[in-house]
Amino acid sequence: KQWYQRRVRAEKCYITLRMCSRTACQYRPKECDFKMGTSLFNFGALARHTGNWVVTDDNYQTFHLNMCRGVNMAARLKGCSPNSIGCVEETAVAGAQSIGMVDTQEQELSADGNLTLSYTGGSTVICEDHPARTEITFRCGNTLGSPTFVRSRECRYLFEWSTYVACPSPPIKSQSCTYTHPQTGRIVDLRGSSTYTASDPQYTVTFEDCGSKTLCEGAEVCMLMEDNINGHVVKISSSEIKLFAEGDTAELLITSDASCPDSAYKTWQGIVQYTCGEEEGMELVALAHCHVIVNRVTPLVCGTEKAQDRSSHMRFMLILILSIACLSLLLLGAFVCRKPQSREVFLRRIRSWLPLRGSGGPFEEMSYKRVLINTEDMTDLSHSTI
């Protein structure tokens, strides 16, 4: 049974009862890092420390969800266990009820790479003595996203969540600031000496290029997170480098020793997502559950094939422009300078523009006699008009 009552003492018209319940137990927060086969997942960015993820079904029933920890209590959640992964909001006829407990978490990876987290042990009130169960299926997406309601059947509540944190990270490619590009085979070097800053209304995050060792003395990778409201600064640094790579993207994981204030079992972690871009920059993606995620845009991770294609295209265009310019110049000289004397003046002017004039170079002895269009070729043109 979930709870029971036992009389402890009765004296002077006072009766004291003791209730033993799982809802009163301190629980260990569930780990947000999952390794399923060769795929790695980190859901720390989905944890909420204030408020919850709110979802409404087709019948206007409201659900409050959280990740990695229990829901945050609110006025309309009175009666639901704080150790619940989700709660049904109270209504006019019933109070708030749990739809699954955090410490019952189970995970399953489908054949198409989608991770499903299941939670059991929910309330039996709304399900006629059958405990409620919650299943959340995560799909790889381009944004942080939010959960959506799918359906409910026999106290089994199904949700889906499209989010970039559900995209599996590839196996570790390198434990240094360099790695081999998985597509082109070239060496990508992320070392540098630059510092980048990203912020939101409350936090400012500063990241130093891999291997710089100036922002955090002695650390290979370093990130500073400053609370703009109370001035508190967290140093997220590590001497160990974990670098992931896939296509034109890379991910740098910084696991620090800085303790997480919200959990005695967690430490601060920084995730730097490198994406291909022509200009250097950084933006703050997410900050939650002692995880800081930033996106570092840089051309360093771009494939060499793309860079070579762009370079070859630029060289081709430059050669084409120069060829057209030279041809136009020759045609202009042949058309305008129809007489030998005029051609000599024309060539003399060209020599005056060249930097080799007076240096004894090949252009020094240039004259109309060396022009392919000689006087015999110009006989018919000498009587023509422009």
Side-chain angles (χ1 to χ4, degrees):
K1 291 183 179 180
Q2 186 173 354
W3 62 272
Y4 65 92
Q5 292 181 339
R6 178 165 59 90
R7 188 174 70 176
V8 177
R9 69 176 187 269
E11 58 180 9
K12 296 182 179 180
C13 299
Y14 286 93
I15 298 178
T16 303
L17 300 177
R18 175 180 295 172
M19 175 181 289
C20 296
S21 170
R22 181 167 53 188
T23 61
C25 301
Q26 291 186 348
Y27 70 99
R28 183 186 181 97
K30 297 302 293 183
E31 186 62 47
C32 279
D33 300 327
F34 307 100
K35 183 175 182 181
M36 305 291 292
T38 59
S39 300
L40 301 176
F41 300 91
N42 190 312
F43 286 177
L46 304 181
R48 300 289 295 268
H49 293 272
T50 58
N52 300 298
W53 298 98
V54 180
V55 186
T56 303
D57 65 8
D58 297 335
N59 297 322
Y60 303 101
Q61 192 173 31
T62 303
F63 300 87
H64 290 244
L65 300 174
N66 206 352
M67 282 300 302
C68 310
R69 55 178 293 153
V71 294
N72 295 296
M73 289 293 99
R76 300 187 66 84
L77 297 183
K78 186 178 180 180
C80 184
S81 169
N83 293 348
S84 301
I85 196 67
C87 296
V88 180
E89 195 174 275
E90 67 178 359
T91 62
V93 296
Q97 303 295 330
S98 170
I99 57 174
M101 307 299 289
V102 175
D103 55 3
T104 63
Q105 175 180 284
E106 295 180 356
Q107 53 265 6
E108 180 181 359
L109 187 65
S110 63
D112 55 1
N114 295 324
L115 180 66
T116 298
L117 299 181
S118 302
Y119 304 89
T120 58
S123 173
T124 60
V125 175
I126 56 178
C127 303
E128 298 180 355
D129 295 331
H130 184 71
R133 175 186 178 93
T134 294
E135 295 181 10
I136 307 175
T137 299
F138 294 89
R139 303 185 186 278
C140 180
N142 298 322
T143 64
L144 190 63
S146 59
T148 58
F149 180 82
V150 179
R151 66 179 181 273
S152 63
R153 182 182 301 170
E154 297 179 354
C155 285
R156 183 184 176 195
Y157 297 91
L158 305 181
F159 300 87
E160 284 190 357
W161 200 330
S162 295
T163 172
Y164 64 81
V165 301
C167 303
S169 299
I172 294 177
K173 291 291 184 181
S174 175
Q175 293 183 342
S176 67
C177 298
T178 61
Y179 68 93
T180 302
H181 195 283
Q183 293 180 346
T184 64
R186 76 178 179 93
I187 301 299
V188 179
D189 192 347
L190 298 178
R191 292 174 295 182
S193 58
S194 301
T195 301
Y196 299 89
T197 302
S199 61
D200 64 10
Q202 183 175 354
Y203 298 100
T204 298
V205 177
T206 304
F207 171 70
E208 183 181 52
D209 272 339
C210 186
S212 184
K213 299 182 180 181
T214 57
L215 192 62
C216 301
E217 185 177 356
E220 291 289 341
V221 286
C222 177
M223 179 186 294
L224 297 182
M225 191 278 295
E226 181 179 1
D227 191 326
N228 300 326
I229 297 178
N230 57 32
H232 182 63
V233 178
V234 176
K235 181 191 296 184
I236 307 173
S237 63
S238 176
S239 59
E240 181 182 4
I241 298 175
K242 294 182 180 180
L243 193 61
F244 306 82
E246 184 176 21
D248 286 347
T249 62
E251 185 172 289
L252 178 65
L253 176 62
I254 309 174
T255 304
S256 72
D257 296 329
S259 60
C260 176
D262 299 315
S263 173
Y265 309 101
K266 299 287 291 183
T267 59
W268 279 92
Q269 285 190 345
I271 300 175
V272 183
Q273 299 172 334
Y274 291 89
T275 56
C276 175
E278 296 183 358
E279 297 183 359
E280 301 278 356
M282 190 178 79
E283 62 177 350
L284 181 60
V285 177
L287 198 161
H289 197 62
C290 295
H291 284 73
V292 181
I293 303 176
V294 296
N295 181 32
R296 234 320 248 117
V297 180
T298 174
L300 295 176
V301 298
C302 299
T304 53
E305 293 179 350
K306 294 181 180 180
Q308 289 177 351
D309 290 344
R310 289 194 296 267
S311 179
S312 299
H313 179 71
M314 292 299 295
R315 286 197 298 269
F316 173 76
M317 293 300 297
L318 180 61
I319 293 175
L320 181 62
I321 293 174
L322 291 176
S323 301
I324 294 175
C326 293
L327 182 60
S328 301
L329 187 62
L330 291 175
L331 291 176
L332 178 64
F335 187 70
V336 175
C337 306
R338 291 169 293 177
K339 296 181 180 181
Q341 295 82 357
S342 300
R343 290 201 300 273
E344 185 66 33
V345 174
F346 178 72
L347 292 173
R348 191 181 302 117
R349 290 180 179 178
I350 292 180
R351 289 200 302 270
S352 67
W353 297 336
L354 296 173
L356 296 177
R357 185 173 185 269
S359 61
F363 295 102
E364 184 66 23
E365 301 299 328
M366 182 182 290
S367 69
Y368 74 91
K369 295 179 180 180
R370 299 198 177 197
V371 178
L372 293 178
I373 304 177
N374 52 37
T375 54
E376 289 78 15
D377 297 330
M378 297 294 294
T379 301
D380 297 335
L381 293 176
S382 61
H383 301 287
S384 62
T385 59
I386 300 176

